[in-house]
Amino acid sequence: MTQQLAYIHSDAKIAPNVEIEPFAMIHADVEIGEGTWIGSHAVINAGARIGKNCRIFSGAVISSTPQDLKYNNEYTLTIIGDNTTVREYATISRGTEEHWKTVVGSGCLIMAYAHVAHDCRVGNNCIIGNNVQMAGHVHVDDWAIVSAMSAVHQFVKIGAHSFVSGASLVRKDVPPFTKAAREPISYAGINSVGLRRRGYSNEKIVDIQNIYRYIYMRGLNNAEALQKIELELPPSNERDEVVNFIRNSERGIMKSPFQTYGTGDPEAQA
């Protein structure tokens, strides 16, 4: 059902049971899937592809023109998966010719006033907190949480199941399964609470902790740590995910806490 007081362009493709509140604006070249709700004063711009059962709250702006001086009006998209919520006044820019699209996965929560810039890729089941500001080309993998007021530098990668604490300045990549905190941002232990909530056993969490002891607690550089991990620890999906993430990091991963806080176990400090 759509409201007569909303502006809906005749070329927009709206599933029959989408609900659009008064004063929302739906422009041309927009597709909205079944069961989605669009709140009043939300603006859905050209290039938006919104999945099923999403909730777009008042004042949110989806698929706005990128805030990138290199953008030259090329045809790009913003793709949002199913069952994702975008809260009040959040903004999601469409892509540029670098990747041609900005993607937010399924089951995500983008909280109020957050900004997801051009060419970002947010995985499934992620939470982006209130007023998080993500620059262009940021990658956030599945089940990651970026807490409120954090700023994420362009091209940063945030690994799966990781947790970034509130008001963080994220200038380096955050490896999977970890907690990131402090200034400058550094390793604060394993995201054990999040992992338990998602069904990881205590034994698997200990295995992940052992992987990161090589990286952050033995005084090894990354190349040495990865070599020892592959030689000394048994193969597992988690081991390979950590190794591949670090090996492919272009900005470098967040630092060890010992560079700032001296000796001690970050699992206890976090």
Side-chain angles (χ1 to χ4, degrees):
M1 178 184 296
T2 60
Q3 294 282 351
Q4 292 182 350
L5 293 177
Y7 168 77
I8 303 173
H9 195 280
S10 59
D11 291 338
K13 297 179 180 179
I14 313 294
N17 61 343
V18 170
E19 183 175 357
I20 301 175
E21 297 289 343
F23 310 113
M25 298 187 69
I26 314 295
H27 290 275
D29 188 28
V30 166
E31 299 179 12
I32 302 177
E34 297 176 1
T36 289
W37 173 80
I38 308 294
S40 60
H41 300 285
V43 179
I44 315 298
N45 291 298
R49 305 289 185 265
I50 300 174
K52 299 177 181 179
N53 302 314
C54 293
R55 304 179 75 204
I56 312 297
F57 278 73
S58 298
V61 181
I62 309 297
S63 202
S64 52
T65 300
Q67 297 177 118
D68 185 341
L69 295 177
K70 299 186 298 298
Y71 179 72
N72 194 30
N73 205 36
E74 58 264 28
Y75 181 75
T76 59
L77 300 174
T78 299
I79 300 173
I80 298 176
D82 299 337
N83 302 301
T84 284
T85 296
V86 180
R87 291 303 303 248
E88 293 85 354
Y89 300 99
T91 55
I92 304 175
S93 299
R94 64 178 179 264
T96 69
E97 64 180 357
E98 182 76 19
H99 294 294
W100 302 104
K101 59 187 176 182
T102 300
V103 179
V104 176
S106 297
C108 293
L109 171 58
I110 311 297
M111 292 189 186
Y113 293 97
H115 176 61
V116 180
H118 61 87
D119 301 290
C120 286
R121 298 188 181 189
V122 178
N124 298 320
N125 303 300
C126 294
I127 298 175
I128 308 299
N130 292 302
N131 207 34
V132 167
Q133 303 297 292
M134 294 169 54
H137 312 280
V138 168
H139 286 193
V140 181
D141 291 335
D142 294 352
W143 294 102
I145 297 174
V146 184
S147 299
M149 305 293 290
S150 294
V152 187
H153 195 283
Q154 62 183 350
F155 295 102
V156 156
K157 295 181 180 179
I158 297 175
H161 298 280
S162 60
F163 177 89
V164 178
S165 66
S168 292
L169 302 179
V170 189
R171 305 181 183 94
K172 295 290 187 179
D173 292 349
V174 177
F177 313 114
T178 63
K179 293 183 292 186
R182 311 183 179 100
E183 171 58 26
I185 197 164
S186 57
Y187 175 69
I190 299 301
N191 184 20
S192 54
V193 173
L195 292 174
R196 288 191 182 97
R197 288 173 177 170
R198 292 161 206 147
Y200 280 76
S201 67
N202 288 336
E203 292 76 13
K204 185 63 69 176
I205 291 171
V206 169
D207 289 343
I208 295 170
Q209 288 173 337
N210 288 334
I211 294 169
Y212 280 105
R213 288 190 174 100
Y214 282 84
I215 296 165
Y216 286 118
M217 300 173 65
R218 294 195 174 187
L220 304 172
N221 64 39
N222 287 341
E224 293 169 338
L226 296 182
Q227 184 179 42
K228 285 183 174 293
I229 287 168
E230 291 182 312
L231 287 173
E232 299 178 11
L233 295 181
S236 68
N237 291 335
E238 291 76 20
R239 189 201 73 167
D240 293 344
E241 184 170 356
V242 172
V243 168
N244 290 333
F245 184 98
I246 296 173
R247 189 163 280 154
N248 294 320
S249 173
E250 296 179 359
R251 291 192 56 80
I253 62 171
M254 62 184 177
K255 65 191 296 186
S256 165
F258 305 144
Q259 293 175 253
T260 303
Y261 289 89
T263 58
D265 188 343
E267 301 292 338
Q269 294 178 24

